[in-house]
Amino acid sequence: MTTAANTENHPDPETLLATVLASVEDDKAEDVVQIDLRGRSDMADYMVICSGRSTRQVVSISERLADRIKQDYGILCKMEGKDSGDWVLVDTGDVIVHIFRPEVREFYDLEKMWQSGGHMGMDAREAD
């Protein structure tokens, strides 16, 4: 079984980002935002945030994205939140994808935390 640790067919972060963006756009995700995390976080190089109009669409976008990444690159994505469908996190390794229902996205407002120069890594928590 191939995992994210297998680099034989592993794309560079920019190629993976392009695949993620194409997949969510193909599935009619709304308000797609990409955030460059390079130099700001060790968890990934990019973050993508988008919305689905319903829990069914949120789950569908996440499942199709994970399937596409597995088919194209043999990477098994980690997913959280699929059971509720309000907010699904898809971890592709180099790209973290958050897929929200609009109300949930507005409540958490991840874009504000990350785009305004906010830093959510260990250094920020240790400073408290």
Side-chain angles (χ1 to χ4, degrees):
M1 187 179 321
T2 306
T3 64
N6 184 347
T7 58
E8 182 177 311
N9 192 30
H10 198 356
D12 60 66
E14 290 74 22
T15 301
L16 190 55
L17 174 64
T19 301
V20 166
L21 293 172
S23 181
V24 299
E25 288 174 12
D26 286 350
D27 290 328
K28 310 293 188 232
E30 298 178 346
D31 302 321
V32 179
V33 175
Q34 72 180 54
I35 301 171
D36 189 340
L37 299 178
R38 293 172 298 176
R40 295 174 58 198
S41 173
D42 292 336
M43 73 175 153
D45 289 328
Y46 297 99
M47 179 183 298
V48 173
I49 303 170
C50 61
S51 298
R53 292 180 300 279
S54 66
T55 56
R56 180 178 284 172
Q57 187 185 21
V58 168
V59 170
S60 175
I61 291 168
S62 67
E63 288 175 340
R64 289 175 52 102
L65 172 60
D67 288 345
R68 185 169 187 178
I69 298 298
K70 182 179 178 183
Q71 290 297 318
D72 289 359
Y73 307 113
I75 297 171
L76 299 177
C77 299
K78 297 175 188 164
M79 292 202 303
E80 295 181 24
K82 194 173 96 171
D83 292 338
S84 73
D86 290 331
W87 172 10
V88 180
L89 180 142
V90 181
D91 182 352
T92 71
D94 293 324
V95 181
I96 303 293
V97 185
H98 297 274
I99 308 160
F100 290 98
R101 278 189 316 104
E103 309 81 40
V104 178
R105 181 177 180 174
E106 185 177 336
F107 178 79
Y108 286 102
D109 202 8
L110 291 183
E111 292 98 322
K112 183 176 182 183
M113 281 194 284
W114 286 98
Q115 286 184 328
S116 64
H119 185 280
M120 297 304 292
M122 289 300 292
D123 296 339
R125 287 190 297 261
E126 290 171 357
D128 291 341

